Amino acid sequence: MARRSCAARLGRGDDIWNFLTLMAANNVFHTSLVPSHYDDLNVFNVDASGGIPAVLHNALVFSAAGRIDLLPALPGALPTGVISGILARGRITVTRLAWDYPAGTVTARLDSAVRQSVELSVPPGVKDVTLTVDGHARPIGPLGAGVRGGLRVTLPRGATDIGVTFTPVTAAPSAHLLSYGAAATASSTRTTDGDVGPEKTVDSDSTTRWTSDYADGQWLQLDLGAVHDLTEVKLNWENATAKDFTIDVSADGHTWTTVAGVTGNSAAGWMDFPGLTISGRYVRLDLTTRATSYGFSLWDVEVYGT
């Protein structure tokens, strides 16, 4: 949940969508939107109450004192939509927010409990933007460190209608998680370490892991079942990380193309390799050199594409 909140703040809407669809497929959400600890509604997870609405709210409306960002991390799978009743910071309620990217429009009604001045940011990535406040066109410019576009507007006590028009956006295929449950094989498995087979890297459970023998020159390979257009690979290393490795892709399992390489690494945790433009069925980690005296150990391998 915390990772998806970070994704919202980083504008990574597709990461949020992949998380939500995966959790829904595994029957993790109760009808109240409170998640369970495990799949199939196993063990009520009251500690995470409100987590799912919070992730969605931050993706659709981010708020801070004196600041409202509209659709900062909209998933590509949601080119149109409507949401009502988002309670923002600063005693502001987003009574209604509607968006239609193929038509190039966003409308919002903001209800403020007091008269106040706020920075109002338009959705990122759209072009030829026109912004209206209560029907009056207003010029927009850079906000904050210049990474946001919008303007400072005075909200009266009560309702303010916001309109945004822009060049219509043709919905592109939304990248989604391809590797969940994929067939995973490896050069070796350290069976004396317990249940640490390669399939643990694609079970979407960051408490299970694959561990190789205590030797350099290992590999881990995923079969996605069909050729896909791949856009991103993410790796979640245990402390026994790889010092030197490559990520290779193949359509047939015989001819390989290296899409990313790392040398001299000593860090554990997540590594992200976005911006890939290659088609393939097989994804292989060629693990050359260990960073520790233990084997190579991975919690998760995530492959995204269409």
Side-chain angles (χ1 to χ4, degrees), residues 103-209:
T105 62
V106 174
T107 59
R109 170 161 286 191
L110 310 181
D111 257 300
S112 178
V114 295
R115 180 181 174 87
Q116 59 180 304
S117 176
V118 299
E119 288 186 348
L120 178 66
S121 300
V122 299
V126 295
K127 299 178 180 179
D128 301 322
V129 179
T130 299
L131 187 146
T132 62
V133 179
D134 285 333
H136 301 286
R138 300 285 299 274
I140 66 171
L143 293 173
V147 296
R148 297 180 290 124
L151 78 161
R152 179 165 287 279
V153 60
T154 298
L155 300 179
R157 180 179 179 181
T160 299
D161 288 320
I162 306 297
V164 182
T165 60
F166 47 87
T167 300
V169 178
T170 301
S174 180
H176 60 279
L177 181 64
L178 301 171
S179 53
Y180 175 66
T185 54
S187 53
S188 66
T189 297
R190 181 81 174 183
T191 55
T192 54
D193 284 1
D195 188 9
V196 290
E199 71 280 359
K200 300 302 181 181
T201 63
V202 290
D203 62 0
S204 290
D205 183 347
S206 292
T207 65
T208 64
R209 62 189 172 97

Side-chain angles (χ1 to χ4, degrees), residues 49-292:
S49 295
I52 297 302
V55 169
L56 287 171
H57 288 182
N58 277 296
L60 301 177
V61 177
F62 173 75
S63 64
R67 172 178 170 181
I68 297 286
D69 296 351
L70 299 178
L71 302 174
L74 182 68
L78 298 176
T80 63
V82 178
I83 191 168
S84 302
I86 294 181
L87 183 62
R89 292 176 176 85
R91 303 175 68 186
I92 297 171
T93 300
V94 183
T95 308
R96 186 176 189 272
L97 172 65
W99 63 94
D100 188 335
Y101 272 47
T105 62
V106 174
T107 59
R109 170 161 286 191
L110 310 181
D111 257 300
S112 178
V114 295
R115 180 181 174 87
Q116 59 180 304
S117 176
V118 299
E119 288 186 348
L120 178 66
S121 300
V122 299
V126 295
K127 299 178 180 179
D128 301 322
V129 179
T130 299
L131 187 146
T132 62
V133 179
D134 285 333
H136 301 286
R138 300 285 299 274
I140 66 171
L143 293 173
V147 296
R148 297 180 290 124
L151 78 161
R152 179 165 287 279
V153 60
T154 298
L155 300 179
R157 180 179 179 181
T160 299
D161 288 320
I162 306 297
V164 182
T165 60
F166 47 87
T167 300
V169 178
T170 301
S174 180
H176 60 279
L177 181 64
L178 301 171
S179 53
Y180 175 66
T185 54
S187 53
S188 66
T189 297
R190 181 81 174 183
T191 55
T192 54
D193 284 1
D195 188 9
V196 290
E199 71 280 359
K200 300 302 181 181
T201 63
V202 290
D203 62 0
S204 290
D205 183 347
S206 292
T207 65
T208 64
R209 62 189 172 97
W210 164 68
T211 299
S212 76
D213 284 344
Y214 290 7
D216 293 334
Q218 304 291 319
W219 54 265
L220 174 75
Q221 182 172 308
L222 306 184
D223 179 355
L224 304 176
V227 174
H228 296 273
D229 293 327
L230 307 184
T231 59
E232 186 173 15
V233 174
K234 298 181 183 180
L235 307 176
N236 185 13
W237 289 101
E238 200 252 352
N239 288 333
T241 186
K243 180 180 179 182
D244 307 308
F245 67 94
T246 61
I247 302 174
D248 304 310
V249 173
S250 173
D252 57 11
H254 299 289
T255 302
W256 296 88
T257 300
T258 298
V259 296
V262 172
T263 58
N265 174 62
S266 60
W270 284 96
M271 290 185 178
D272 192 1
F273 303 90
L276 306 183
T277 54
I278 190 170
S279 296
R281 171 174 174 170
Y282 303 92
V283 177
R284 179 184 176 106
L285 305 183
D286 188 2
L287 308 171
T288 310
T289 312
R290 294 167 294 158
T292 72

